[in-house]
Amino acid sequence: METARTARVHVIWTCIALVVILIASCLTYVFLPKVPGCQRVNIRSASSLFDPTVTESMFRRQPSREHWLLKADHCSHESGHLKWEDEWAEHRNESILDHTHTWIVIRESGVYLVYIQVNFKLKTQINSSSPVELKLLVDFNYGEGTQMFAAAHDTQLVSANTVQDAKLYTFLLMNMKSANQLSVRAFPGELVNIDPRPFSTYITFLKWSDSW
């Protein structure tokens, strides 16, 4: 009974990830502002999917069914690094995470649709009415170096004597090679919501094609 329920959950989350990412990727630009001093990464705007030549080349070969759903189970208050847990670990023969569970290691080269969502629980600061600055950063390690991107940011004003939720998210269409790595940082780290059920801070990967 438990196995059947787990299988159903697996299928449901796969469908949700496919639908949400596919729809949003066609509507969202992913040329995002970068942190000053960083180089350019091989990330394309999702609007390029409307280019017939790009679409034809992407579907020339049948891609694998590589897909992942990782949920956050810890956030460093100092560095802001999120640590991940594979939601479907019991169905996998190997992990996509390194030994620290901070870096996500790509297994197959190809073009990936990536969706990242981070939830924050905002609390009123004692003797302070200053707005809370929220930030979501993505680090991309391609072997020769690491590039850092400002994926999303927001400013929230917390009402007195309240606890409220805030959400940052971003979509990326990334051409990555095997052994490339990604990590995610969120600030302020102490406000990140990592409640396991229902989890609200997570990242999904879906291999879109073998190449541009």
Side-chain angles (χ1 to χ4, degrees):
M1 185 68 180
E2 181 64 23
T3 301
R5 189 188 70 82
T6 301
R8 285 196 298 271
V9 171
H10 189 168
V11 171
I12 290 171
W13 272 107
T14 300
C15 294
I16 292 174
L18 288 171
V19 172
V20 171
I21 295 177
L22 289 177
I23 293 175
S25 66
C26 294
L27 301 175
T28 307
Y29 285 95
V30 293
F31 280 126
L32 301 171
K34 296 179 291 183
V35 174
C38 294
Q39 300 178 1
R40 189 173 185 174
V41 72
N42 194 7
I43 299 179
R44 289 197 180 186
S45 167
S47 62
S48 64
L49 294 177
F50 295 108
D51 185 339
T53 59
V54 173
T55 304
E56 179 183 358
S57 64
M58 289 176 68
F59 285 95
R60 190 170 297 131
R61 294 188 297 275
Q62 179 67 28
S64 75
R65 298 177 63 186
E66 186 84 346
H67 59 280
W68 299 83
L69 171 61
L70 309 176
K71 60 184 180 182
D73 63 1
H74 179 75
C75 184
S76 170
H77 292 185
E78 291 76 26
S79 68
H81 276 106
L82 290 168
K83 288 191 175 182
W84 304 100
E85 176 185 346
D86 185 359
E87 176 68 6
W88 302 326
E90 60 188 63
H91 303 287
R92 307 283 193 181
N93 294 324
E94 58 181 304
S95 175
I96 197 175
L97 298 168
D98 74 346
H99 68 283
T100 68
H101 282 215
T102 299
W103 287 92
I104 300 163
V105 185
I106 300 303
R107 302 194 311 171
E108 295 183 8
S109 298
V111 178
Y112 286 81
L113 289 169
V114 183
Y115 174 72
I116 308 169
Q117 176 177 301
V118 178
N119 272 58
F120 298 85
K121 281 192 174 296
L122 307 182
K123 301 178 181 180
T124 305
Q125 303 296 313
I126 299 176
N127 298 325
S128 175
S129 58
S130 300
V132 179
E133 299 287 339
L134 306 177
K135 187 183 300 183
L136 168 61
L137 300 177
V138 179
D139 293 325
F140 178 64
N141 187 322
Y142 53 94
E144 294 80 10
T146 300
Q147 296 179 347
M148 181 172 58
F149 290 82
H153 68 276
D154 193 14
T155 301
Q156 293 281 337
L157 186 62
V158 185
S159 301
N161 302 317
T162 62
V163 176
Q164 60 193 68
D165 292 329
K167 178 172 65 177
L168 290 181
Y169 60 89
T170 188
F171 296 92
L172 300 171
L173 181 62
M174 304 183 69
N175 186 16
M176 296 185 285
K177 297 180 180 179
S178 176
N180 284 169
Q181 300 181 13
L182 286 177
S183 70
V184 180
R185 290 179 290 146
F187 300 95
E190 65 273 14
L191 300 182
V192 174
N193 182 6
I194 55 172
D195 291 341
R197 297 295 178 196
F199 56 87
S200 54
T201 297
Y202 61 92
I203 182 170
T204 62
F205 285 81
L206 173 65
K207 186 174 180 182
W208 180 265
S209 70
D210 290 329
S211 64
W212 291 127

